[in-house]
Amino acid sequence: MGKRERILGGLGALLVVAYLVFMPGYILQQPRDWTLKKQQENQEPFSGIITLWHIVDFKPYTGSLGTWLSDRAAAFEKKHFGVFINVTAMTVEECAARMERGERADIYSFPMGWGYMERFMALPELDVTMRPALAHSGSQDGTAYGIPYAMSGYFLLINSRLEQEKGVSLPDDGWQASLQAAAEQLTFTYGKRNTQQYGLSGDPILAALLGYTGEVAPYSSFSGETAAMALADARAVGDLERQQSAGKGFTFRALPLKNYTDLVQYLGIARDTAAEKIPYIQDYFQIVLGEDNQEKLLDLGLLPAIELTVELGRLSGMVETMADALQTPKVPNAFLYQRYQDVLTSLAQRALAGDAQAREELTERMKELVDETQIQ
């Protein structure tokens, strides 16, 4: 090899070494530069955490509404770099304990009857078409303080074994007219210890509104087979069905309550939430109320709050039954329901004990909450 070739070979080797030394750093720097550029392009006026407390009073037929809200938060965070929505699920009691300690959230996902409107700020306009029955249920004097986003319904559950043993035959449609007689027939004592078998369990206010007179046992009496019937929500139906699938539990019938529900979940903004967070919260609400996301509520056995324009061909089983029963539901005002809750509970207990005047007052009070309330 000549001198010229050795010089060229040496230069080539130096170039290779230089490439190996410097190029990896250059290559690694490019994504960093691109990321920094994107961060600068997507810089938000606000960055930080928006807190959302999901307060649970009723649950969906299956799954978790808190997880559903978290999934919508993840979609929101992809749109807004550096802005995060922290969803925390808790019971009504856990929420009360946190508030006693001085803790607060920016957003509340709350059930009907949880909070007074004074806790919330007036909501900004949202580009959604709500179901007519829900449209104003979170409003007072024409101003929205809570926006509904999910709805469930009630069922009358009947223990099939006891129904057959006592010769009770409740019709699938119009069962309310036969509820009193069926409950009386299914109320008895048995065994040497005269163990009490209750005819009806579940929600006492609902029982009184349906015209029932008599004792209403806790729902646990039905799941424990010491009550023959129960007024319960869709989650109770789902839990019992899952027990059956696992080879446990007992056979039962579930008859939907038509045209009424107070099982509605709302979103509201805390009155003292920082102004810089409001546009982001509004965008999150738009995501939650988007047609695609509202349709996904059906997977949980919940009904959407908006008018869907898509074909709901995948409705089946309990969800289809509930959707049919709640096509045009009577829904109380969320904040009036909270204001009158203690009164409703007291009137219901008196009505169940046979006080005709209390039953009349209960009906009149409900008419204040829902125009021309009729549970039929």
Side-chain angles (χ1 to χ4, degrees):
M1 178 184 296
K3 183 177 180 180
R4 184 170 179 272
E5 285 79 7
R6 287 197 299 271
I7 292 172
L8 291 175
L11 288 173
L14 287 172
L15 290 173
V16 170
V17 170
Y19 177 87
L20 293 173
V21 170
F22 295 108
M23 187 54 71
Y26 174 80
I27 292 173
L28 290 173
Q29 184 62 34
Q30 295 312 300
R32 295 193 193 101
D33 291 345
W34 183 87
T35 301
L36 181 60
K37 181 180 178 182
K38 281 298 183 184
Q39 290 175 1
Q40 292 170 344
E41 289 175 356
N42 297 329
Q43 188 65 43
E44 299 283 354
F46 164 79
S47 62
I49 296 174
I50 296 171
T51 55
L52 189 163
W53 288 3
H54 172 55
I55 303 162
V56 180
D57 190 41
F58 70 92
K59 295 180 180 180
Y61 170 78
T62 187
S64 165
L65 188 54
T67 300
W68 185 92
L69 287 168
S70 293
D71 290 342
R72 266 69 261 169
F76 164 89
E77 289 164 5
K78 289 179 180 178
K79 292 177 59 180
H80 300 286
F81 180 82
V83 185
F84 306 94
I85 294 181
N86 183 14
V87 179
T88 305
M90 62 190 73
T91 64
V92 174
E93 294 75 20
E94 289 168 342
C95 178
R98 283 181 173 232
M99 287 187 154
E100 285 180 7
R101 295 195 297 267
E103 298 179 43
R104 296 292 185 271
D106 298 309
I107 309 170
Y108 294 98
S109 162
F110 62 97
M112 177 177 294
W114 174 74
Y116 295 106
M117 74 172 196
E118 290 81 6
R119 178 170 284 155
F120 306 100
M121 67 170 59
L123 289 174
E125 287 281 337
L126 296 174
D127 184 21
V128 293
T129 303
M130 304 296 297
R131 295 182 61 170
L134 297 174
H136 304 293
S137 66
S139 301
Q140 286 267 273
D141 300 323
T143 300
Y145 296 94
I147 187 160
Y149 71 94
M151 177 173 67
S152 187
Y154 287 105
F155 289 80
L156 176 68
L157 310 181
I158 313 164
N159 184 307
S160 298
R161 175 182 62 81
L162 291 171
E163 184 181 28
Q164 293 170 7
E165 285 181 2
K166 294 298 178 179
V168 175
S169 181
L170 277 171
D172 290 348
D173 196 21
W175 52 264
Q176 292 89 330
S178 306
L179 179 63
Q180 183 72 43
E184 291 175 358
Q185 197 171 345
L186 290 166
T187 301
F188 58 92
T189 59
Y190 63 92
K192 293 181 180 180
R193 297 185 179 182
N194 290 324
T195 302
Q196 179 66 51
Q197 181 74 50
Y198 297 98
L200 185 63
S201 65
D203 189 310
I205 295 178
L206 192 57
L209 288 171
L210 289 167
Y212 180 72
T213 301
E215 185 172 2
V216 178
Y219 171 74
S220 57
S221 299
F222 180 77
S223 57
E225 296 192 76
T226 57
M229 298 188 295
L231 291 166
D233 62 16
R235 182 55 169 242
V237 178
D239 287 345
L240 290 170
E241 287 181 348
R242 285 182 283 275
Q243 286 182 21
Q244 283 187 328
S245 297
K248 303 175 183 178
F250 53 90
T251 58
F252 69 98
R253 287 202 297 147
L255 307 178
L257 176 64
K258 290 187 174 182
N259 303 331
Y260 174 85
T261 188
D262 51 46
L263 301 175
V264 182
Q265 197 78 12
Y266 297 82
L267 287 169
I269 306 174
R271 185 173 290 275
D272 57 355
T273 297
E276 59 189 356
K277 296 180 180 181
I278 304 304
Y280 297 99
I281 295 174
Q282 182 175 2
D283 190 45
Y284 177 69
F285 285 7
Q286 287 287 171
I287 290 172
V288 166
L289 293 166
E291 192 168 276
D292 290 346
N293 288 316
Q294 284 282 292
E295 187 180 1
K296 287 183 173 69
L297 286 169
L298 298 169
D299 297 332
L300 302 179
L302 289 170
L303 299 180
I306 70 167
E307 292 279 19
L308 290 180
T309 58
V310 296
E311 183 64 36
L312 301 180
R314 56 193 177 90
L315 284 181
S316 62
M318 188 283 305
V319 183
E320 182 178 26
T321 299
M322 186 169 65
D324 184 62
L326 295 177
Q327 290 185 47
T328 55
K330 304 291 185 183
V331 178
N333 180 280
F335 302 114
L336 290 178
Y337 193 88
Q338 162 67 8
R339 200 172 299 279
Y340 295 147
Q341 200 162 37
D342 290 343
V343 175
L344 294 174
T345 300
S346 176
L347 289 173
Q349 293 295 346
R350 289 167 52 196
L352 292 170
D355 187 330
Q357 183 178 351
R359 190 178 303 280
E360 184 177 340
E361 289 180 20
L362 177 64
T363 301
E364 289 303 312
R365 184 68 73 174
M366 284 300 295
K367 284 182 179 180
E368 296 178 35
L369 274 64
V370 184
D371 293 337
E372 300 178 358
T373 297
Q374 294 179 355
I375 308 177
Q376 299 179 356

